[in-house]
Amino acid sequence: QVQLVESGGGSVQAGGSLRLSCATSANTSISYYVGWFRRAPGKEREGVACIYTGGGGTRYGDSVKGRFTISRDNVKTTVYLQMNSLKPEDTAMYYCAAGGWDLNPRTYNYWGQGTQVTVSS
């Protein structure tokens, strides 16, 4: 069983920045995808970014390219999401997930509880 704990959410004005963290209990001797997803009220869950812990390869959703950066620490137990130039439409609950494939949320088996990000105009 993999546990994921998100932190770093909060409220910020448009144009501001936040950094989310996802602490995982996954076995660091194996490689897997860790993804960030978000769900805004009335909208479907959206893939934001993912990283492969083995080689560090990353993918981003079109709406966040150039503004968000996903990274991991050297021991591969924490994944970060640096969010810059935030917009009101980035307001959502952000979830960290592990064990899936790319930015497809249906393939992920392990999910955190989520952290709220609110961007005001």
Side-chain angles (χ1 to χ4, degrees):
Q1 186 75 14
V2 176
Q3 293 185 325
L4 304 163
V5 179
E6 304 99 332
S7 61
S11 297
V12 65
Q13 289 191 328
S17 298
L18 284 172
R19 188 175 83 155
L20 305 183
S21 299
C22 173
T24 79
S25 65
N27 186 342
T28 57
S29 66
I30 61 174
S31 298
Y32 52 94
Y33 277 98
V34 177
W36 283 99
F37 300 86
R38 66 187 183 186
R39 174 170 278 168
K43 295 187 177 180
E44 293 188 358
R45 189 168 43 184
E46 176 187 7
V48 176
C50 64
I51 188 167
Y52 189 63
T53 61
T58 59
R59 282 282 306 275
Y60 295 91
D62 289 341
S63 61
V64 306
K65 283 180 181 177
R67 300 188 298 122
F68 291 12
T69 303
I70 190 170
S71 62
R72 57 171 167 68
D73 65 2
N74 290 334
V75 295
K76 297 185 289 185
T77 59
T78 303
V79 171
Y80 304 98
L81 183 68
Q82 178 67 43
M83 306 186 296
N84 298 328
S85 302
L86 283 162
K87 305 175 181 180
E89 50 264 44
D90 293 318
T91 295
M93 184 70 80
Y94 284 71
Y95 298 91
C96 175
W101 177 258
D102 202 54
L103 287 175
N104 187 344
R106 295 183 179 86
T107 66
Y108 284 76
N109 295 320
Y110 304 104
W111 291 83
Q113 294 299 308
T115 185
Q116 178 68 36
V117 171
T118 302
V119 184
S120 58
S121 57

